[in-house]
Amino acid sequence: MQDIDWYEGDFADPSAVATALEGYDIVFHLVNGTTPASANIDKIADVSANVISSIHLLETCRAAGIAKVIFVSSGGTVYGNPANIPTPEDEGCWPITSYGISKLSIEKYLHLFRHLYGMNYQVLRVSNPFGPYQVAAKNQGVIGAFIRQILARQPLEIWGDGSIRRDYVHVSDVVRALELAVVYDGEHHIFNIGSGVARSLDEIVGVLREITGENIEVEYRAGRPVDVPVSVLDTSRAREELNWTASADFTQGIADTFAWMRRQNDFRSSGGNKVPLA
Amino acid sequence: MQDIDWYEGDFADPSAVATALEGYDIVFHLVNGTTPASANIDKIADVSANVISSIHLLETCRAAGIAKVIFVSSGGTVYGNPANIPTPEDEGCWPITSYGISKLSIEKYLHLFRHLYGMNYQVLRVSNPFGPYQVAAKNQGVIGAFIRQILARQPLEIWGDGSIRRDYVHVSDVVRALELAVVYDGEHHIFNIGSGVARSLDEIVGVLREITGENIEVEYRAGRPVDVPVSVLDTSRAREELNWTASADFTQGIADTFAWMRRQNDFRSSGGNKVPLA
């Protein structure tokens, strides 16, 4: 990790954000203070932590003369229960979580800031990202959660019957999309970023059994109202406009993630208290 | 005004709202703390005054067992600069004011509360309402503003060149749509409520000259970025589903509004300090 300046600060603190932005042209906004499940419990806290803090960020970007903001939105929640699957970008957005409403609102403010002040933006509606460096602290991302449970020798917990299908995209593909969004100069501002393939929770369990060679135990629990049965993105716009398509192999991607998380686990078990970055 | 209980309180105060809701089944939500122009100046205050207070309202409605919330949204701002004119309900919504984003967010929370808790709702995206009882204090509504300027013997102020066209709908038609939304039980939750006719500012001036018989003076000022050139709603869904269509005559509606505002003006001039209700 060279040529990286690292600042730590509270996203809700505009002066901390202003310090971090100084001298840069492009801002990648990947912050979210809640999860789809937690956001519904306190919707007002969700608006405050995400929407209001993001408006502060945009005001700060505008004052700092930032040329473009790349925002990672949520391909899995902004559409709610969409009529069209795979779901294209121009589908109506009726989220069934406060999390999704907040992501959608931030997209609207990006558009507003472009209209009022000429600050450019791109929105990537990323499906369900996974891969190395996925930390478990936020309790988000089922692949990371499954691997953590396996490493802790606990049974896997599945909400619902295991048939829920999602569009999992490897972080290396997401990073490539973020880079392409910086240089893209066409008419579109919203891109779905996903594998375009719907995979069930039971399929993930199958892959994990294959990788570990173990008969991993699964406990099925009641489904949650925030979980739609299937979510998979139509990514043809990203292919046509950004020349982007997901290329990581699913099984290999899970194997990489598993290997990385096991190294983390071994490191912690050996008395390390910081996550090594490579 | 009989059989009306009147409560005064701050919309931002959930306990005041809870008192007002007690014992009712239907809530009409018509509150907005900002205007399209003022909202852009302080976007965070706009979110707080409108979105957060509306989430509080919905939580209170849920606790009070309210069956249905009818929300007056903004047909003139939620669509931004729409591709389709007249604009149907399923047009993409990219507002160019924070006001429009807040209205849109509240629509999304209504959908969320229905999904999570089964509380029913209808959204009326009302275009530019006008008519008697339109008070000038909020600085909203160009017809009311024009009449106020005429009564004060001031020249009319027009932002832009007078060709800006809007969809003006008489308050009596809006009230009828609100009533129909209460009993409507079909699959739709969003209705455009407008006249379906685009009228320019210069046309309104023409009608006012006709009504008053005076050569009203107009001062043209620079256009504002919050004003789209034309906004007119496609109201076929309301016609088909609610059996609603705007029926008030435009010239007669302006004449009624003028007569009502002149009576108010005369009443104030004679030393009255309260607005009489009839």
Side-chain angles (χ1 to χ4, degrees):
Chain A
M1 303 286 278
Q2 59 271 67
D3 296 329
I4 299 275
D5 291 321
W6 182 270
Y7 301 88
E8 272 191 39
D10 186 345
F11 184 52
D13 172 7
S15 66
V17 172
T19 304
L21 297 188
E22 217 177 291
Y24 293 98
D25 300 316
I26 307 290
V27 166
F28 296 92
H29 176 6
L30 296 96
V31 182
N32 211 81
T34 56
T35 68
S38 78
N40 273 355
I41 295 165
D42 189 343
K43 300 169 190 74
I44 289 167
D46 184 65
V47 172
S48 180
N50 297 309
V51 181
I52 289 180
S53 295
S54 294
I55 298 174
H56 275 304
L57 170 67
L58 297 184
E59 298 280 13
T60 307
C61 288
R62 180 191 160 200
I66 295 293
K68 196 176 201 177
V69 178
I70 319 286
F71 174 57
V72 173
S73 183
S74 169
T77 65
V78 295
Y79 300 111
N81 257 317
N84 295 297
I85 293 168
T87 309
E89 289 87 351
D90 55 8
E91 181 82 10
C93 288
W94 291 97
I96 58 169
T97 59
S98 189
Y99 180 95
I101 299 177
S102 289
K103 288 283 191 188
L104 192 61
S105 297
I106 296 166
E107 295 184 2
K108 304 300 177 191
Y109 282 102
L110 285 161
H111 175 82
L112 178 64
F113 273 71
R114 180 167 179 271
H115 175 82
L116 293 177
Y117 317 120
M119 193 166 74
N120 206 355
Y121 75 97
Q122 295 296 334
V123 168
L124 302 187
R125 290 180 177 166
V126 177
S127 58
N128 290 61
F130 73 99
Y133 304 95
Q134 180 165 23
V135 290
K138 279 192 69 184
N139 194 28
Q140 205 173 0
V142 72
I143 292 173
F146 280 177
I147 295 174
R148 192 172 73 251
Q149 287 164 341
I150 293 170
L151 293 172
R153 301 268 150 204
Q154 291 165 351
L156 306 190
E157 276 185 11
I158 287 186
W159 306 85
D161 67 1
S163 69
I164 282 185
R165 288 180 301 151
R166 292 286 176 275
D167 178 333
Y168 299 95
V169 62
H170 195 268
V171 66
S172 60
D173 285 324
V174 177
V175 169
R176 203 156 36 81
L178 286 164
E179 290 169 349
L180 290 167
V182 172
V183 292
Y184 175 73
D185 200 24
E187 62 169 324
H188 291 286
H189 290 273
I190 312 275
F191 292 100
N192 282 341
I193 298 298
S195 66
V197 180
R199 296 180 198 273
S200 72
L201 293 174
D202 285 339
E203 269 178 88
I204 298 174
V205 174
V207 170
L208 286 166
R209 284 179 177 148
E210 189 187 319
I211 289 169
T212 59
E214 292 180 30
N215 183 25
I216 298 156
E217 196 188 334
V218 177
E219 285 177 4
Y220 293 91
R221 304 187 185 280
R224 302 179 301 178
V226 297
D227 291 322
V228 296
V230 58
S231 166
V232 59
L233 300 179
D234 179 338
T235 59
S236 30
R237 183 185 286 175
R239 191 174 59 243
E240 286 156 23
E241 298 282 325
L242 299 179
N243 196 24
W244 177 92
T245 189
S247 64
D249 177 75
F250 185 62
T251 303
Q252 186 56 49
I254 292 193
D256 290 348
T257 312
F258 188 87
W260 185 84
M261 287 185 75
R262 190 166 50 190
R263 281 205 305 281
Q264 299 301 305
N265 202 51
D266 294 347
F267 183 77
R268 273 194 298 274
S269 306
S270 69
N273 60 7
K274 278 192 115 176
V275 175
L277 282 169
Chain B
M1 302 285 277
Q2 59 271 65
D3 296 330
I4 299 276
D5 291 322
W6 182 269
Y7 300 88
E8 270 190 40
D10 186 345
F11 184 52
D13 172 7
S15 67
V17 173
T19 306
L21 299 188
E22 217 177 292
Y24 293 97
D25 300 317
I26 308 288
V27 167
F28 296 93
H29 175 6
L30 297 96
V31 182
N32 211 80
T34 56
T35 67
S38 77
N40 274 355
I41 294 166
D42 189 343
K43 300 168 190 74
I44 290 168
D46 184 66
V47 172
S48 180
N50 297 309
V51 181
I52 290 181
S53 295
S54 293
I55 298 173
H56 274 305
L57 170 68
L58 297 183
E59 298 281 12
T60 307
C61 287
R62 180 191 161 201
I66 295 293
K68 196 176 202 177
V69 178
I70 319 285
F71 174 56
V72 173
S73 183
S74 169
T77 65
V78 295
Y79 300 111
N81 256 318
N84 295 297
I85 292 169
T87 308
E89 289 86 352
D90 55 8
E91 182 81 10
C93 289
W94 292 97
I96 56 170
T97 58
S98 189
Y99 179 97
I101 299 177
S102 288
K103 288 283 190 187
L104 192 60
S105 297
I106 296 165
E107 294 184 3
K108 304 299 176 189
Y109 282 102
L110 286 161
H111 176 82
L112 177 64
F113 273 70
R114 179 166 180 273
H115 176 82
L116 293 177
Y117 317 119
M119 191 166 74
N120 207 354
Y121 75 97
Q122 294 297 333
V123 169
L124 302 187
R125 291 180 176 166
V126 177
S127 58
N128 290 60
F130 73 99
Y133 304 97
Q134 181 165 22
V135 288
K138 279 193 69 185
N139 194 28
Q140 206 173 358
V142 71
I143 292 173
F146 279 176
I147 295 174
R148 193 173 70 252
Q149 287 163 340
I150 293 169
L151 293 172
R153 300 270 151 203
Q154 291 164 352
L156 307 190
E157 277 183 11
I158 287 186
W159 307 84
D161 68 0
S163 69
I164 282 184
R165 288 179 301 150
R166 292 286 176 274
D167 177 333
Y168 299 95
V169 61
H170 195 268
V171 65
S172 60
D173 285 323
V174 177
V175 169
R176 204 156 36 81
L178 286 165
E179 290 169 349
L180 290 167
V182 172
V183 292
Y184 176 73
D185 200 23
E187 60 168 323
H188 290 285
H189 290 273
I190 311 276
F191 291 100
N192 282 340
I193 298 298
S195 67
V197 180
R199 296 180 199 272
S200 71
L201 293 175
D202 286 338
E203 268 179 87
I204 298 174
V205 175
V207 170
L208 286 167
R209 284 181 177 146
E210 189 187 317
I211 290 168
T212 59
E214 292 181 28
N215 183 25
I216 297 156
E217 194 188 337
V218 177
E219 285 176 6
Y220 293 92
R221 305 186 185 281
R224 301 179 303 179
V226 297
D227 290 323
V228 296
V230 58
S231 167
V232 59
L233 301 178
D234 179 338
T235 59
S236 31
R237 183 185 287 174
R239 189 175 60 244
E240 287 156 22
E241 297 282 326
L242 299 178
N243 196 25
W244 177 91
T245 190
S247 65
D249 177 76
F250 186 62
T251 302
Q252 185 57 48
I254 292 193
D256 290 348
T257 312
F258 188 88
W260 185 83
M261 287 184 75
R262 190 165 52 191
R263 282 206 304 280
Q264 299 302 306
N265 202 50
D266 294 347
F267 184 78
R268 272 193 299 274
S269 307
S270 69
N273 60 7
K274 277 191 115 175
V275 175
L277 283 169

